Every structure is written in C-alpha cells, then in structure tokens.
Amino acid sequence: MSDSTWTWPDWAPHVLWMRKCPRCNSVKFKPGELRPIDGLLAMFALRPVRCMFCWRRFYWLSVHGAPIE
C-alpha cells in the first residue's frame, strides 16, 4: 500500500471555512483580483480574497457585502 496523501488540485478554488489562512494563520485578507471563473463562483456567493502575509488566494462565502478586514 501507498502512504501518499491526497492534496487539493491547484486548478480548483480553495474555499476558506474559517476566516483564517490555513498556510500562515493570518486573519488579514484583501479582495482578490478577478478571474474569468469568479463570475460563475459569484452565483454561489463565493468571492476571491488574498492573504496579506503569504499572498495565497482563497474564496470565502460573502455575507451581504461585508467588508474585508
């Protein structure tokens, strides 16, 4: 048997369930740049954000246009 672990594909959007970066544990985010797929993901209330410390791009559920801290 193989002990390989499954990782999330790079082409798939990374959704944050908590408002904390899983890579660097930062809680500071800014709006992410828009990409062509963001229009489709907006229909599911997902919006792009970028961590201000490690610059990793994620999506999170938008809540009535709440400001990003």
Side-chain angles (χ1 to χ4, degrees), residues 19-68:
R19 306 276 173 144
K20 185 169 150 182
C21 179
R23 180 181 246 179
C24 68
N25 292 326
S26 170
V27 294
K28 301 255 184 194
F29 292 90
K30 69 176 196 163
E33 67 283 348
L34 295 178
R35 294 184 180 167
I37 195 168
D38 291 340
L40 177 65
L41 294 174
M43 293 188 327
F44 299 103
L46 293 172
R47 70 176 176 186
V49 294
R50 190 169 288 278
C51 177
M52 300 222 4
F53 290 100
C54 70
W55 292 95
R56 183 88 184 222
R57 190 173 192 270
F58 300 101
Y59 288 89
W60 68 31
L61 291 171
S62 61
V63 180
H64 305 291
I68 299 172

